[in-house]
Amino acid sequence: MNKERSFMNFIDLPAQQQRIRMQIEENIRKVLDHGQYIMGPEIGALEQALVEYTGVRHAIACSSGTDALLLALMAYGVGPGDAVFTTPFTFIATAEVVALLGATPVFVDIDPRTFNIDPEKLKQAIQAVKQNDPRLHPLPAASQSAALTPKGIIPVDLFGLPADYDRISAIAREHGLFVIEDAAQSFGAEYQGKKAGALADIACTSFFPAKPLGGYGDGGMCFTDDDTLADLMRSIRIHGQGSDRYNNVRVGINGRLDSLQAAILLAKFSLFPEETILRQQAAGRYSALLAQNESLVLPYVPDGYLSVWAQYSILARDNAHRAAIQAALQKEGIPTMVYYPKPLHVQDAFAFLGYRPDDLPVSDDCARRIFSLPMHPYLKEDDQKLIADAINGI
Ligand SMILES: *Cc1c(COP(=O)(O)O)cnc(C)c1O
């Protein structure tokens, strides 16, 4: 087999496009005909479709998942001196937006089974910030944490599995903190009968092409039941616009979604409910094919949770074992990925926070052992058998 080129897609967007190519072209043509490239009717149509899907009152389309998080934090007026608690085991954007606003990310380690923020450690971290005592929980360098005020929590629904919102919300209420759900990977997932997007004060998702509901470019969406927050985010999305376009009542951003992107997403959304079911089936097949392999830790979905399987991520025994598995799969032309090789607390961008790798040992350990297999709704059982055989042969 060819050693360089993958014969399998990690995410098969062409297979999806084939099913809806006509609808996509038709939707694009409509935009070309009406010419409302900015805030055209497709924006409202997409927002309405996702309101109905999630059961949340307001959906606010925006330019990316990162900007969705930024809009949410700006709506809460987050700034210098504020502590925002989040996980280090995520994509950089989750904490980047906190730092961009001059606030301080306080990293809280993850649960080793779900890879999501650990509510027990979250409690300790909040106490540590309140008492400015790093003996209770590792904190950012003294210069950063001098007089931090706990402001909010951003749990991430990693790999498509929601965080534990019942426990997180209880902690947030006790301390008067907001909760922003980073649902960039979890649109389509469920927790205790509610859809991702409906699990916190504000939720933010991403339409980056590789996400469960992906477009053909950048895009995102904020969700909230709160009318005031929704109005704020709609205003901030368009340069802090007030009652009309040239009346600016606050400092905002250019955070709109393009009409063309919404048109594409509307076509893709028509397949989405079916695709989430196909993803469950693909994940179930992996778990069955790998169940006998005792040197692996397979994904765990607690009762009451439904993952949308943005990734199917496995823990190898150790770093060398992971390298051996990845090499064996690569030899067969099967792509794998590592999410995430470097947790945020050890990223150079956050060196100023002064964290040490062993401050957050679970994240550090997972970063060495984790890897993800090809995952998408059109994954074939035969390909999955090939993947499993290659892994089980190590
Ligand atoms: C992809 C992602 C984002 C950012 O979304 P973009 O649309 O790429 O800006 C934020 N958080 C997480 C967890 C993500 O996976």
Side-chain angles (χ1 to χ4, degrees), residues 23-104:
Q23 190 60 52
I24 289 171
E25 287 182 5
E26 170 67 17
N27 286 9
I28 289 175
R29 198 182 54 77
K30 281 189 207 149
V31 178
L32 300 183
D33 286 348
H34 68 55
Q36 295 178 58
Y37 304 117
I38 300 291
M39 297 304 282
E42 288 77 11
I43 300 296
L46 182 67
E47 289 175 342
Q48 185 55 31
L50 298 203
V51 157
E52 283 165 24
Y53 181 79
T54 56
V56 180
R57 255 170 93 77
H58 303 279
I60 297 122
C62 64
S63 38
S64 69
T66 306
D67 286 339
L69 291 165
L70 189 59
L71 290 172
L73 290 173
M74 288 176 79
Y76 278 114
V78 167
D82 293 336
V84 177
F85 301 86
T86 192
T87 161
F89 203 60
T90 178
F91 181 59
I92 184 84
T94 311
E96 186 182 32
V97 286
V98 174
L100 194 62
L101 291 171
T104 303

Side-chain angles (χ1 to χ4, degrees), residues 64-67 69 90-91 93-94 156 158 182 184-185 206-208 211 218-219 340:
S64 69
T66 306
D67 286 339
L69 291 165
T90 178
F91 181 59
T94 311
V156 175
L158 202 73
D182 184 340
Q185 302 182 8
S206 163
F207 304 131
F208 184 81
K211 308 286 167 145
D218 283 308
Y340 291 91

Side-chain angles (χ1 to χ4, degrees), residues 5-23:
R5 202 172 47 100
S6 298
F7 84 95
M8 208 181 280
N9 288 311
F10 191 74
I11 294 177
D12 198 344
L13 293 178
Q16 180 195 55
Q17 190 185 93
Q18 212 181 5
R19 297 185 61 195
I20 44 164
R21 177 71 184 234
M22 299 257 287
Q23 190 60 52

